[in-house]
Amino acid sequence: MNTKHIWTEKLPQPPSHHRESERQAITLPARLTWKDQRGATRFATVVTRNVSEYGVYVECASTVSIPLYRLVQFQLERDGGEPAALPEALRQQGRILSAVYRVSPPQRSGTPQGFALRLMIDPKRRAAEGVAEKRATA
């Protein structure tokens, strides 16, 4: 008699990386602006390391205190150029409201502090892009 036990069966594993859009390695100067807990406006100069349609990962040479889920304004510097690989939202808008969803502290090895930002894209625009993409692949 072959008996299967729930704790011995292999469960299906989720995909190791599931992204809504592909990341592009792009290095451009940018700026973050946010309000601290006292309401004072703060700025940080950062460099993009990779971007996607809905997110960006940036590194900051100086250590700054930005807590998780803080809303920040993300803006590419004008003198940084505009690569064709930039997502449409970054090409069209000067500033994009973003939420900090991951903070990587600086390392002793010299790796700068990093921030993963979720770009706050208009849901109507996002839905329209999804429809257009489905039509293009159909």
Side-chain angles (χ1 to χ4, degrees):
M1 177 182 220
N2 189 0
T3 307
K4 287 189 173 185
H5 297 283
I6 193 164
W7 57 85
T8 60
E9 289 182 36
K10 286 200 169 206
L11 298 174
Q13 297 294 317
S16 60
H17 83 86
H18 175 14
R19 301 207 180 277
E20 291 182 45
S21 63
E22 289 297 315
R23 290 182 181 184
Q24 300 290 326
I26 298 176
T27 303
L28 291 171
R31 175 177 224 155
L32 299 180
T33 308
W34 72 98
K35 299 249 184 202
D36 67 11
Q37 66 271 14
R38 294 182 178 163
T41 301
R42 302 288 181 195
F43 302 94
T45 299
V46 297
V47 175
T48 64
R49 292 300 174 205
N50 62 57
V51 298
S52 70
E53 194 67 37
Y54 306 113
V56 62
Y57 184 78
V58 298
E59 290 180 341
C60 186
S62 60
T63 302
V64 295
S65 180
I66 307 175
L68 281 177
Y69 313 118
R70 176 66 44 110
L71 293 178
V72 298
Q73 292 287 337
F74 172 75
Q75 181 176 4
L76 291 172
E77 295 290 348
R78 292 181 185 208
D79 62 345
E82 189 177 294
L86 272 178
E88 186 178 340
L90 292 175
R91 282 184 301 204
Q92 289 184 349
Q93 299 179 22
R95 286 187 188 179
I96 298 180
L97 184 65
S98 306
V100 175
Y101 72 90
R102 191 175 71 233
V103 178
S104 301
Q107 303 296 313
R108 289 184 187 192
S109 64
T111 304
Q113 182 176 24
F115 298 95
L117 307 175
R118 180 70 168 184
L119 304 176
M120 299 289 152
I121 305 294
D122 178 17
K124 291 178 188 173
R125 183 179 150 249
R126 196 169 175 184
E129 287 173 356
V131 169
E133 187 175 309
K134 285 181 184 178
R135 286 182 186 159
T137 58

